[in-house]
Amino acid sequence: MKKHSEKIKAAIRKRSFFYLAFSLFCFAALLILSCKETIPFQGAAVSVFAFYVIGCVLYLVFTRLYRSSGLPEEIEPLIGNMTLDLMLELTMPVIITDENDKLIWYNKAFTSCADSHRSFFGKSIEQICAHSTSDILASPEPDGLPVLAFDRFFRLKGYPINVPGKEYCITVWQDVSELTETRRLLSEKETVVAYIMIDNLDEILQNLQELYRAAATDVALILRNCARSVGGILKEYERDKYLFLFEASKLEQFIASKFDILDQVRDVRVGESSLPITVSIGVARIEGSLEEKERAAHAALDMALQRGGDQVVVKNDENMEFYGGRTKTVQKRTKVRARVVANQLVSLMAESDNVLVMGHRNPDFDSIAACAGIARLALYCGVPVHIVLDTADRNIQKCTEKLLRQPEYRDLFVNAADSQDLIQPDTLLVVADVNNRTQLESPELADSVEKVVYIDHHRKTAEFKVKPAIAYIEPSASSASELIAEILEQTLPAGNLPKDEADLLLAGMLLDTKQFSKNTGVRTFSAALYLRNEGASPHEAQSIFKSELSEIIREAKFESNVVIYRKTTAIATNEGDPSDTGTPFDRIAAAKAADKLLTVDGILASFALCCIDSTVYVSARSNGTINVQLILEKLGGGGHYDAAATQMKNTSLHDALQLLKDAIDAYLDENGEA
């Protein structure tokens, strides 16, 4: 606008000088002609005087216009008459605001858009569109800031105008209501692709195959009724596996009901079995082609299965949403997948330059044992191997001392920093007992290696950024040691697993099963039998669990600070001396305290919190009634249905306690529990 004003000034200045020069030229010409007596002198004098007067008048007029072409105080200073007329007649709403975001002018289109005869002068723009002028000017949207005003959708573009001493802003409103509504309708009509799989029918009816068809028919009827209720298409493409297509607008109905189809299927009972039949569903809620949606739905189904089944995973463009997961997983009796994974893992090791093995940060016996079992398999394949581990951690001192009795382990352990130097073009990284990147011993190592294998028994909480070569995640397994024992049984010849490693694997199973009292199945005892045949001693395995007196005292601190919350959950802390910042041993004591609190009558779930160097560690246990994994997932953690954990960095114990209570409230309210 300032440039436009300068152009007007320049044009007026040129015209004023032109008319003055023209009048002087005429005056000189007439004077010369009169001197030569071409025309009478009197007539020439009159003509000269007339031209002179006209020239002076024109000069004064245009000089006045030049001086008045500056910027007055209100609207005229901002725009010329032509621009003002254009904005007045423009079909798009236009407003002008001052430095205080107050409206000082608006056109007819804005009045028509507002559908109101009341005046908007002096009102703040925030009262109209809930955004300030600075918001509009700072918007990174190339089409303008999207806003809702007068029950319509607009895109707002702002243009600042600087006047000496004042600042204004012209805002142009583009009505995109019809376009927004069209996009919404197209989005609702878009096809959603979902995969459905019956989780555990084979395991439930292992010895009752004659009832299989009746049970499968009951589940299929529920699924077909569900598809019919939303006008969708359901096709069984393989035994107990379905493809479900429906409109995107119907997805909100499923979300509103929290996918109650899971509950309907769970109510199906077959014969005398007390176990419910469950299904897993993967839904693709993304934009793109049908092929892209099919891949996304399949990935969502894999996530649901790796989280233990009996749940729905909805994959969005940016993240995943989880629904269900209220029943414990049923352990599969077949070892077919274990045999397939064992063969794939051996092939990958044989093709690799070297193997790196890594567990989770602050490892326990199960993590160390699983890493040792993988290292034994790599040694059997003749491939150089190293275990990434913080050997300075005193919590695992007994484990490392047991392994260091064998000569091959003396140079096998490396820390996270040194492991980066061992990466080669064809390095294989095997991650055991963890699938969450944030909990790895060295997340940077996982980011640097191209070939990664995950072997874990915890429920999956997020997608992998890079697709792993193998993702063997079995939430139904009791421990990572169980999974590794099965792999070793399929690959190592009998008698090739050293006794110390067998003892350690057995100790890992004892730890995660609470001495074979929780989360055990046929395959758990089968793996224990294999380890026993390889020389594992229950007495030696139990000796690893012996505690010092100081550890018992630490555990007692938790047991003396217990509160009962919502009648069925116990929460313990070691809060005491403010000068005590906590040690890594408190984490072990917290886990033991959480286990012991479950023995209290009426307690369905227990939580133990300890603070170590501004990080709060939470251990959670359940008797199988409450899913503690879902509770701690709200706090960034994970684990199993009846055993989970999380870490909250840069959080005080008081704040962590409140966050935990909020998560417990949300879970109990969502599931209608006391």
Side-chain angles (χ1 to χ4, degrees):
M1 198 61 71
K2 186 176 181 181
K3 291 182 179 179
H4 181 68
S5 177
E6 292 296 330
K7 288 182 179 179
I8 294 175
K9 288 182 179 181
I12 293 173
R13 186 168 59 247
K14 288 180 180 178
R15 289 190 181 186
S16 62
F17 280 111
F18 170 79
Y19 281 107
L20 181 62
F22 180 75
S23 64
L24 291 174
F25 172 77
C26 293
F27 175 83
L30 290 172
L31 186 62
I32 292 172
L33 290 173
S34 65
C35 291
K36 293 183 177 183
E37 298 181 352
T38 303
I39 59 173
F41 179 81
Q42 292 178 348
V46 172
S47 299
V48 167
F49 179 79
F51 273 107
Y52 177 77
V53 171
I54 291 172
C56 290
V57 170
L58 291 175
Y59 176 80
L60 291 173
V61 169
F62 281 96
T63 302
R64 178 64 178 171
L65 289 174
Y66 169 77
R67 291 174 180 174
S68 66
S69 65
L71 298 175
E73 295 183 356
E74 292 299 332
I75 301 305
E76 286 86 6
L78 304 180
I79 50 179
N81 289 334
M82 184 183 302
T83 305
L84 181 59
D85 290 340
L86 176 63
M87 290 200 300
L88 281 169
E89 301 301 328
L90 194 65
T91 57
M92 298 172 64
V94 179
I95 66 173
I96 300 178
T97 55
D98 60 14
E99 62 269 20
N100 297 319
D101 283 359
K102 304 294 184 182
L103 270 70
I104 62 173
W105 183 87
Y106 51 87
N107 64 356
K108 298 176 183 178
F110 182 82
T111 304
S112 176
C113 174
D115 193 21
S116 173
H117 298 292
R118 61 192 178 94
S119 173
F120 290 94
F121 289 111
K123 289 189 176 295
S124 171
I125 190 173
E126 285 193 71
Q127 295 178 271
I128 301 172
C129 65
H131 288 279
S132 64
T133 301
S134 57
D135 294 336
I136 299 170
L137 294 174
S139 173
E141 297 283 346
D143 298 329
L145 179 70
V147 300
L148 176 65
F150 311 120
D151 297 325
R152 301 181 68 83
F153 294 96
F154 296 90
R155 288 276 186 173
L156 272 57
K157 290 284 287 186
Y159 303 92
I161 303 172
N162 296 321
V163 179
K166 290 188 177 182
E167 294 182 356
Y168 299 91
C169 179
I170 295 180
T171 306
V172 181
W173 296 48
Q174 181 185 4
D175 192 342
V176 293
S177 299
E178 292 185 5
L179 179 60
T180 303
E181 180 65 14
T182 302
R183 286 178 175 173
R184 185 188 67 80
L185 292 175
L186 288 174
S187 177
E188 289 182 352
K189 294 293 183 182
E190 198 167 359
T191 302
V192 173
V193 179
Y195 276 115
I196 304 175
M197 179 178 175
I198 303 178
D199 295 328
N200 55 355
L201 201 53
D202 280 332
E203 283 69 33
I204 292 176
L205 301 177
Q206 187 79 17
N207 300 317
L208 298 170
Q209 286 299 316
E210 66 275 8
L211 300 177
Y212 181 89
R213 180 46 53 193
T217 302
D218 290 343
V219 175
L221 181 61
I222 293 173
L223 298 178
R224 294 190 189 283
N225 288 337
C226 175
R228 191 178 299 111
S229 68
V230 296
I233 299 174
L234 182 74
K235 294 295 181 183
E236 186 175 10
Y237 65 92
E238 196 175 319
R239 174 170 152 169
D240 297 340
K241 296 180 180 179
Y242 298 85
L243 177 65
F244 184 23
L245 305 177
F246 58 97
E247 290 184 355
S249 60
K250 307 300 182 182
L251 182 57
E252 296 302 325
Q253 297 181 21
F254 290 123
I255 293 176
S257 66
K258 297 181 181 178
F259 288 91
D260 58 359
I261 188 175
L262 297 175
D263 300 323
Q264 297 175 37
V265 173
R266 206 179 294 118
D267 290 337
V268 175
R269 292 291 189 274
V270 184
E272 299 179 356
S273 174
S274 61
L275 294 174
I277 297 175
T278 61
V279 295
S280 293
I281 305 176
V283 181
R285 192 186 193 180
I286 65 170
E287 296 181 355
S289 64
L290 286 175
E291 181 184 4
E292 293 171 332
K293 293 178 181 178
E294 188 273 339
R295 288 200 301 266
H298 200 278
L301 178 63
D302 286 342
M303 171 66 80
L305 293 172
Q306 291 170 355
R307 287 172 53 84
D310 184 33
Q311 58 193 282
V312 179
V313 176
V314 179
K315 180 173 174 54
N316 299 312
D317 289 316
E318 299 178 353
N319 55 21
M320 286 186 173
E321 298 173 1
F322 306 106
Y323 302 89
R326 294 168 55 186
T327 60
K328 296 184 67 175
T329 56
V330 177
Q331 191 176 68
K332 293 177 172 55
R333 301 187 183 189
T334 176
K335 295 184 180 180
V336 173
R337 192 180 180 202
R339 182 166 62 251
V340 172
V341 170
N343 292 333
Q344 291 177 330
L345 184 57
V346 169
S347 297
L348 284 173
M349 286 182 172
E351 297 169 356
S352 303
D353 295 330
N354 66 328
V355 176
L356 298 177
V357 188
M358 176 171 60
H360 54 76
R361 192 181 295 113
N362 303 317
D364 54 13
F365 298 159
D366 187 34
S367 178
I368 298 295
C371 290
I374 296 169
R376 175 53 56 189
L377 183 60
L379 291 172
Y380 174 74
C381 295
V383 183
V385 61
H386 289 86
I387 298 176
V388 182
L389 183 70
D390 180 13
T391 54
D393 189 343
R394 292 179 57 191
N395 291 317
I396 58 171
Q397 186 174 0
K398 291 182 180 179
C399 297
T400 54
E401 289 176 353
K402 195 172 187 65
L403 291 173
L404 288 172
R405 296 175 188 173
Q406 303 175 65
E408 54 264 52
Y409 277 91
R410 290 173 184 169
D411 298 320
L412 218 62
F413 297 114
V414 295
N415 57 36
D418 294 339
S419 66
Q420 295 286 339
D421 298 331
L422 299 175
I423 298 176
Q424 299 181 28
D426 206 9
T427 293
L428 174 66
L429 173 65
V430 183
V431 178
D433 199 34
V434 61
N435 62 71
N436 190 331
R437 180 190 178 278
T438 60
Q439 297 175 1
L440 298 177
E441 179 69 34
S442 174
E444 297 76 17
L445 180 61
D447 295 338
S448 304
V449 178
E450 293 184 1
K451 289 194 303 182
V452 183
V453 172
Y454 289 90
I455 302 176
D456 190 21
H457 69 116
H458 297 102
R459 296 193 182 200
K460 193 175 176 183
T461 57
E463 280 194 289
F464 299 118
K465 290 185 177 179
V466 179
K467 185 178 180 180
I470 300 174
Y472 185 29
I473 300 176
E474 283 286 349
S476 62
S478 68
S479 58
S481 296
E482 176 187 320
L483 297 175
I484 299 302
E486 288 183 345
I487 291 175
L488 295 176
E489 184 179 9
Q490 299 289 338
T491 53
L492 291 185
N496 277 260
L497 182 64
K499 180 183 181 303
D500 288 331
E501 294 175 22
D503 287 338
L504 199 54
L505 286 166
L506 183 59
M509 293 174 63
L510 289 170
L511 174 69
D512 279 17
T513 61
K514 304 298 180 289
Q515 314 297 321
F516 293 116
S517 64
K518 295 181 62 177
N519 200 29
T520 56
V522 174
R523 288 173 60 178
T524 307
F525 292 104
S526 177
L529 179 61
Y530 162 71
L531 295 174
R532 189 73 179 90
N533 290 335
E534 292 296 313
S537 168
H539 175 72
E540 291 288 337
Q542 286 283 0
S543 66
I544 301 176
F545 293 93
K546 289 185 177 181
S547 303
E548 296 180 358
L549 179 60
S550 59
E551 296 177 18
I552 296 175
I553 295 174
R554 290 180 183 276
E555 187 178 339
K557 286 184 179 180
F558 289 93
E559 296 172 5
S560 61
N561 289 282
V562 180
V563 294
I564 305 301
Y565 187 67
R566 294 288 292 265
K567 298 180 181 179
T568 57
T569 59
I571 303 176
T573 65
N574 66 338
E575 193 171 16
D577 185 0
S579 62
D580 185 7
T581 58
T583 69
F585 292 103
D586 288 323
R587 290 185 294 103
I588 306 299
K592 292 180 178 179
D595 286 328
K596 187 169 291 187
L597 286 174
L598 275 184
T599 62
V600 178
D601 188 28
I603 297 301
L604 305 181
S606 61
F607 302 86
L609 295 78
C610 65
C611 184
I612 304 173
D613 297 330
S614 75
T615 298
V616 177
Y617 297 83
V618 184
S619 292
R621 300 293 185 267
S622 168
N623 68 349
T625 305
I626 293 176
N627 190 339
V628 292
Q629 180 216 2
L630 294 181
I631 294 175
L632 292 194
E633 273 187 0
K634 299 177 185 295
L635 303 177
H640 283 287
Y641 189 101
D642 52 10
T646 190
Q647 301 175 13
M648 289 181 275
K649 296 183 178 180
N650 301 318
T651 305
S652 67
L653 193 59
H654 179 269
D655 292 341
L657 190 59
Q658 186 57 51
L659 291 172
L660 176 61
K661 290 180 178 179
D662 293 341
I664 294 172
D665 289 339
Y667 172 83
L668 295 180
D669 293 342
E670 288 171 4
N671 293 278
E673 299 181 21

